[in-house]
Amino acid sequence: MTQLSERRNVRQALEGLALFQDVFDDPIGRAVRGLVAEPTYNSAARLVALLAEEAELYPEQMVGDAWQNHLLDRVLASQNAFSRKAERDGPSSIGEGLRRQVLRELRMLQDIYSQGGKALALEAYSVLGDNSGAAWSDFQPLGRGPALHRAEAVAFKQTLSTSSDWPGLIDQLATIYATVGTGDFARYRAFRWVRDGAKSRLQGVAYPDPIRLENLFGYERERDPIIRNAERFAAGLPGNNALIYGERGTGKSSTVKALLNAFEDRGLRMIEMAKEDLGDFPEIADIVRERRERFVVFVDDLSFDEHETYYKALKVALEGSIEARPENLVFYATSNRRHLVQEHFSDRQSDDGDVHSFESWDEKLSLSDRFGIRVWFGAPDQDRFLQIVDGIAGRQPNLRLSHDELQRRALLWAEQNNGRSGRTARQFMDALVGELALP
C-alpha cells in the first residue's frame, strides 16, 4: 500500500466518525486533520511538535507509542451520546441504534490506532525531510506529575492496546465511562470558571491545593458544621450553602479547599469562580445539573462595595430564580464581612431620594441570610495562636527546638509581623524551618 493510499484510508476513517468526532477536536487532532487534508511543512511540523511535547511531558507511562497513547486518552475523554448515557445509567441503558453506530466507529478508531499512526508518522517526517523511518515510539515520557487517570482507566487502555476486536469491548468501554466519568470531569477534581474572550468555560486545575483538614489547627469547633455539611452533601444528601466569615488569616479558605481533599473519593468536586462572574452561575448550573458528581462552587474573599451590584446575581444564584438549583450543587463563600455588602449608617436613613431606604438596606442584609450555614472565624487569642503553632510544629519531624523557645519565638514573630493568626503561625514555621536547615 502506498503512502498516499494509507493517508486516504486515515482520512476516510476520520470522515466516518460521528459520535467520536471530538476525539480529533483538540490541537493534535486538528493537526492530524490538517496533515491528512494537505501535507505541508506547517501541518507536519505542527503535528510533530504537539505530539513530542505531549509525549515527553506525559506524567504517566504511555500505552503504545505517542500517537496511540494520545488516541486512547481521547477516546476515554470523549463526551458523546454513548459515553454520557453510559456514565449516567450504565451499559444496559444503551439503545440498539446507538449501539450499532458505536460498533461501527470503534472499528474505525481501531484502524486509526493500529495503522493510522504509522501512516501519519511516515507522512509527517517525510514532509520534514526525514526518511529514516522515525516513528512516534521515539519519545520518553516524563513519568511524574499529577495522575491523569484512575487505575481502572489505565487498565482499560492496556486492554484496548492488545485487543484485535475493539467493537467486542463496547460493554467494557461503557462500564469505564460509568465508573470513572467522561471528559474533564473524569480527569480533574478542581476547576475554575474562566473567561475566554466573550465566552466563559470550566478549566481543570491540574495542581489543586493539597491542604488537608488534619493539617489545620485551632478552629476545630468552627470547622465542624462546615465539615459535616460537606460530608452529608458528598454522600448524596441535601447540603446547605455556607458562608465562612471573619478575620483575615484564620484559615477560612484553607478549610474550604481541604474539603475537596477530604471527600473527593466520594465524588465531591470544586469550582472556583470570581464574584465578577456570579452572573454566569446559571451556566455552571446547566453544566453540572445532570452529572453524578457533587459540586461546591467556591468564591473566596467575597464582599461587595456599595456601588457594586454583583450581589444581586448571588441572591438569585442562592435562592430566588424561577429555575431550581441543581441538587448536586452548593455554594461556599469566605468573607471578612458577615453581611457581605458594605454598609453605612446613612443607609438606614437616606436623603438621596429613596423613600424606601430601609427596604434597600434590608435587601443588602438579607444576602447572608440565604446561606444555611454561617460560621465566624475570629482572630486567635494568645493561647489559640500557640496551639496552632504547636500543631504545625508537630508535623515537623526534625525540629530541634525546645517547646518554650518555640513559643517565645512564635510570639515575637507575631509581634513583629502580621499579628496573631493561623497564617502568621504558618509563615513563622516556614521561616523557622528554613533558618534551622541553613544555620
Side-chain angles (χ1 to χ4, degrees):
M1 184 179 294
T2 66
Q3 192 168 312
L4 178 60
S5 63
E6 289 177 336
R7 191 172 76 245
R8 286 174 177 167
N9 287 342
V10 173
R11 183 171 61 189
Q12 289 174 356
L14 291 176
E15 292 173 349
L17 295 174
L19 297 172
F20 287 91
Q21 286 187 67
D22 68 338
V23 169
F24 293 89
D25 189 20
D26 74 312
I28 290 177
R30 290 189 285 274
V32 167
R33 291 185 183 276
L35 180 67
V36 169
E38 187 176 0
T40 64
Y41 174 85
N42 286 338
S43 63
R46 180 162 177 76
L47 177 58
V48 170
L50 289 172
L51 264 180
E53 180 179 15
E54 179 177 275
E56 289 290 330
L57 299 179
Y58 200 71
E60 302 171 354
Q61 290 303 307
M62 295 190 298
V63 176
D65 60 31
W67 163 251
Q68 292 172 329
N69 186 73
H70 172 79
L71 182 63
L72 292 175
D73 281 353
R74 294 297 298 170
V75 170
L76 291 179
S78 181
Q79 295 203 73
N80 55 61
F82 171 68
S83 64
R84 295 178 67 184
K85 183 71 175 292
E87 178 189 30
R88 191 174 304 177
D89 210 23
S92 62
S93 67
I94 306 300
E96 191 55 38
L98 178 58
R99 187 180 182 88
R100 284 196 300 270
Q101 183 62 29
V102 173
L103 291 173
R104 284 194 292 269
E105 296 193 24
L106 286 177
R107 293 188 188 95
M108 298 173 193
L109 289 168
Q110 182 171 8
D111 289 342
I112 298 172
Y113 176 87
S114 58
Q115 301 297 329
K118 179 180 179 181
L120 291 171
L122 289 173
E123 189 71 63
Y125 282 107
S126 63
V127 169
L128 297 177
D130 183 354
N131 296 306
S132 64
W136 304 128
S137 58
D138 300 330
F139 297 107
Q140 177 64 43
L142 184 64
R144 64 178 186 274
L148 300 181
H149 303 97
R150 287 170 50 176
E152 300 95 325
V154 174
F156 187 68
K157 284 175 65 176
Q158 295 284 358
T159 299
L160 284 172
S161 71
T162 58
S163 174
S164 59
D165 181 19
W166 282 24
L169 299 175
I170 181 173
D171 289 333
Q172 291 187 44
L173 178 59
T175 300
I176 287 296
Y177 289 138
T179 303
V180 304
T182 62
D184 284 345
F185 291 108
R187 176 177 178 181
Y188 298 105
R189 54 193 178 92
F191 303 84
R192 60 172 62 93
W193 186 251
V194 297
R195 290 200 175 274
D196 191 0
K199 297 182 179 180
S200 298
R201 61 183 176 85
L202 284 178
Q203 180 184 74
V205 177
Y207 295 90
D209 193 322
I211 186 67
R212 305 195 68 85
L213 291 171
E214 55 264 32
N215 293 329
L216 299 175
F217 304 97
Y219 287 84
E220 289 77 11
R221 178 177 56 82
E222 289 85 348
R223 280 192 292 272
D224 184 62
I226 302 166
I227 296 171
R228 286 189 285 109
N229 182 61
E231 185 175 22
R232 288 192 293 263
F233 177 66
L237 300 171
N240 272 301
N241 301 313
L243 172 63
I244 308 171
Y245 64 100
E247 303 294 336
R248 57 188 175 89
T250 51
K252 302 183 298 294
S253 301
S254 294
T255 295
V256 177
K257 291 181 285 189
L259 297 175
L260 177 63
N261 298 312
F263 303 116
E264 63 168 309
D265 60 341
R266 306 185 201 182
L268 191 69
R269 300 293 181 264
M270 192 164 289
I271 300 172
E272 184 178 43
M273 69 183 306
K275 70 175 182 180
E276 293 81 6
D277 297 328
L278 285 170
D280 296 338
F281 191 88
E283 294 182 49
I284 295 178
D286 287 342
I287 292 172
V288 307
R289 183 178 299 276
E290 299 298 331
R291 298 204 61 88
R292 61 183 181 176
E293 299 93 348
R294 313 286 285 179
F295 293 89
V296 172
V297 172
F298 172 43
V299 177
D300 194 20
D301 197 18
L302 180 64
S303 64
F304 305 98
D305 293 331
E306 59 179 340
H307 65 277
E308 292 181 319
T309 59
Y310 305 123
Y311 75 91
K312 296 180 182 293
L314 177 58
K315 290 181 70 174
V316 172
L318 294 176
E319 183 183 327
S321 171
I322 192 172
E323 182 179 32
R325 193 184 77 215
E327 60 85 23
N328 64 335
L329 185 150
V330 293
F331 191 95
Y332 273 56
T334 64
S335 179
N336 293 332
R337 301 174 182 166
R338 177 183 178 182
H339 293 302
L340 299 179
V341 183
Q342 186 180 32
E343 304 171 57
H344 297 281
F345 283 110
S346 60
D347 290 336
R348 308 189 183 200
Q349 185 173 359
S350 175
D351 59 0
D352 64 359
D354 185 356
V355 298
H356 300 293
S357 60
F358 182 82
E359 292 181 6
S360 300
W361 173 65
D362 188 62
E363 179 188 25
K364 294 180 179 181
L365 296 186
S366 70
L367 180 57
S368 63
D369 293 339
R370 302 199 177 200
F371 291 89
I373 294 177
R374 298 182 298 276
V375 179
W376 164 255
F377 277 50
D381 58 18
Q382 179 169 301
D383 288 343
R384 179 178 278 194
F385 174 71
L386 293 176
Q387 177 188 351
I388 297 171
V389 171
D390 288 344
I392 299 174
R395 299 283 178 173
Q396 303 295 328
N398 299 315
L399 189 63
R400 299 181 300 275
L401 203 66
S402 71
H403 184 254
D404 289 345
E405 179 64 9
L406 173 70
Q407 294 199 338
R408 185 192 69 80
R409 295 182 62 167
L411 293 174
L412 181 62
W413 176 277
E415 181 180 340
Q416 295 176 342
N417 290 277
N418 299 317
R420 294 191 298 264
S421 72
R423 181 181 297 139
T424 300
R426 171 61 64 185
Q427 292 168 346
F428 161 69
M429 191 56 59
D430 289 342
L432 180 63
V433 169
E435 174 190 332
L436 295 178
L438 295 174

